[in-house]
Amino acid sequence: MIIEKDVPIEMSDGSVLYANVFRPEAAGTWPVVMAFGVYGKDVHFADGWPAQWKRLNEIYPGLCQDGSTGKHLVWEAADPERWVPDGFVIVIVDGRGSGRSPGYLDVFSPRETRDYHECIEWAGTTTWSNGKVGLLGVSYLAIKQWQVAALRPPHLAAIVPWEGASNYYRDSIRHGGILSNGFRATWWPKQVLSSQNGNAETTHRDRETGLHTNGNSLSADMLAGSRSDCPRDMLEHPLYDAWAQDRAPRLERIEVPVLSAANWGGPANHLRGNVEGYLGAGSKEKWLFAHIGTHYESFYLPHYVAIQKRFLNHYLRGEENGWEFEPRVQLEVRRPDGTATTRHEHEWPLARTEWTRFYLDAASATMGTEPSDAEGSATYEAMKDSISFSTAPFESDTEFTGPASLRLWVSSSTSDLDVFAVLRVFDPDGQEVTFIGAHEPVPMALGWLRASHRKTSAELSHPYRPWHTHDEVWKLTPGEAVALDVEIWPTSMVFPKGWRLVLTLQGHDFIVVPPGRMRHDHPLDRPADEFGGANTVFTGGDKASYLLMPLVPARTD
């Protein structure tokens, strides 16, 4: 293949971004598969993410064999050696202010998204392009796909957002209105600032050229003045204000075909976005796939690469491969032993779902399908304690697949409280089972809500998925009970006979293995004098609290 490094792409404001282009040696025009990010197009996967590289090679020993040397692999982007021989052009762009591209680094910003639009149009009109551009990538490279597709670049033909949030505020940085600071605290310096254009302190070098991956060096003052402050921005925008809305695509404007790939094990980043992106996209041709495993493995495994190629061959090349007949929803339905069975469906949520209420009982610490007139309550210290409610052992194999929600009557000794809701899986011996997650071991599902953000939209809410407006702050009156509708992110699990579902409620993060990456513990967002009070949950009677679960009966077809 022909490899071109640092290909300049001029933006409408005169700035220049740089891309690496990998294309077939043969003459002709080819469909383009593009990725756009801020992690450095010249930083090899193994150099920037050695632990993940080691793990991926353990999972897939053929990663650097079976047709690829792996020498061009970069984090969360397609392997050129596996795509170019099949007649694709791979283009990987350093976003403004990152890697080799100079400028002001402002992650997920409207200017960055406009840059992506212009890169797509450049790629769609080059001499080696057939005029059709598809987008492919994981995480940041997926989030940008949702954003730019809503701008409708004329040469954009299809997108494959693989584990990528579609709403920066709701999916990534403010879960239920609570600041998710743990991941960003490491992500920002380690993954973003290390590849800021002009950062001479990075250890990254281009393996092929030996050159610095970040371009010409800048002073510390110049570097600081050439970037936004992502952690501070997150902290200073607690509501869904204009700043947050500027980073949220209008999903209904997306018209191109979409293959949205979600990970059940990503319950604090991306999972919700892939599902909501699929539901909200205006595209007539769209698919939702849900898989298991780590954040990065599925994207590179042969089975999933074949799916990506089949989708993009159909929409970028016009290949008649039957893709249009694929079931629109394809789910890997999980079991507690870590396995999953792929099942084809036709809609989301599943039409045959039996929405089942499990009423909480504070006196017995249980939850069952029959409501009770007996009123009760349970109190816990927000920052250190928790309370749990268990179903009876299931009498037969029982599947829950879909979104869930929690109607919760609560009060606090202070003026606000945060709800951390956890769905957990227990075997007949009382041992909890956790699962391989996108970033770390995880429980079955998670949900969050800040009580002062309890306002919902009647137009956008469903009983199984409340939609919080996050546009007003409704403080609590200490000791006064209010009703909350807590969104619990989508999940899938088949409970074997004799196993139990447990709901745990607490006022702090549920962490399977400390210290946990997806933490919500910033002292300025969660001051102890306001969020460290005594929280009370009410059950039964006029204050019946219940968990709404997506019970899925076996199919008869």
Side-chain angles (χ1 to χ4, degrees), residues 426-432 500:
F426 283 81
D427 71 13
D429 295 325
Q431 296 299 309
E432 182 177 8
R500 294 179 296 118

Side-chain angles (χ1 to χ4, degrees), residues 270-392:
H270 302 318
L271 167 60
R272 181 188 186 278
N274 278 108
V275 174
E276 291 295 331
Y278 162 78
L279 291 172
S283 313
K284 294 180 180 179
E285 299 172 275
K286 56 183 180 179
W287 284 261
L288 173 66
F289 284 29
H291 55 263
I292 61 174
T294 67
H295 181 47
Y296 43 86
E297 70 186 67
S298 67
F299 183 75
Y300 296 100
L301 294 177
H303 168 71
Y304 299 103
V305 173
I307 291 172
Q308 298 159 11
K309 286 182 178 178
R310 188 163 167 242
F311 175 78
L312 291 174
N313 268 320
H314 183 70
Y315 288 110
L316 304 189
R317 208 190 301 276
E319 184 177 285
E320 296 297 332
N321 57 20
W323 177 268
E324 68 271 29
F325 302 115
E326 282 289 325
R328 294 301 180 98
V329 176
Q330 302 189 23
L331 309 175
E332 295 184 8
V333 180
R334 298 188 296 178
R335 298 188 70 88
D337 62 2
T339 63
T341 302
T342 301
R343 192 173 69 211
H344 293 173
E345 301 285 354
H346 303 287
E347 71 285 312
W348 181 273
L350 308 187
R352 67 184 185 283
T353 302
E354 297 177 0
W355 298 103
T356 303
R357 292 183 179 184
F358 288 89
Y359 292 90
L360 311 189
D361 185 337
S364 62
T366 62
M367 55 182 179
T369 55
E370 295 297 325
S372 172
D373 292 331
E375 297 183 355
S377 64
T379 300
Y380 60 94
E381 293 298 321
M383 291 297 194
K384 59 182 180 180
D385 296 333
S386 65
I387 56 175
S388 294
F389 302 86
S390 175
T391 65

Side-chain angles (χ1 to χ4, degrees), residues 1-31:
M1 60 186 172
I2 296 172
I3 303 173
E4 298 175 288
K5 293 253 188 179
D6 289 338
V7 177
I9 308 173
E10 186 170 350
M11 300 291 101
S12 56
D13 65 353
S15 298
V16 177
L17 307 188
Y18 291 92
N20 289 347
V21 177
F22 306 82
R23 55 190 176 92
E25 284 185 323
T29 57
W30 315 93

Side-chain angles (χ1 to χ4, degrees), residues 145-209:
Q145 294 180 49
W146 296 114
Q147 290 182 314
V148 75
L151 299 185
R152 299 177 177 173
H155 288 88
L156 181 62
I159 64 172
V160 187
W162 206 272
E163 298 191 33
S166 59
N167 187 297
Y168 186 50
Y169 179 97
R170 298 173 184 275
D171 305 335
S172 291
I173 67 170
R174 286 275 174 181
H175 298 142
I178 308 168
L179 178 65
S180 177
N181 59 290
F183 176 67
R184 295 284 179 247
T186 55
W187 171 81
W188 179 244
K190 182 179 178 181
Q191 294 185 228
V192 180
L193 297 190
S194 65
S195 288
Q196 183 183 357
N197 177 260
N199 181 1
E201 294 186 2
T202 183
T203 59
H204 299 317
R205 295 291 184 275
D206 186 320
R207 285 189 171 191
E208 295 175 61
T209 67

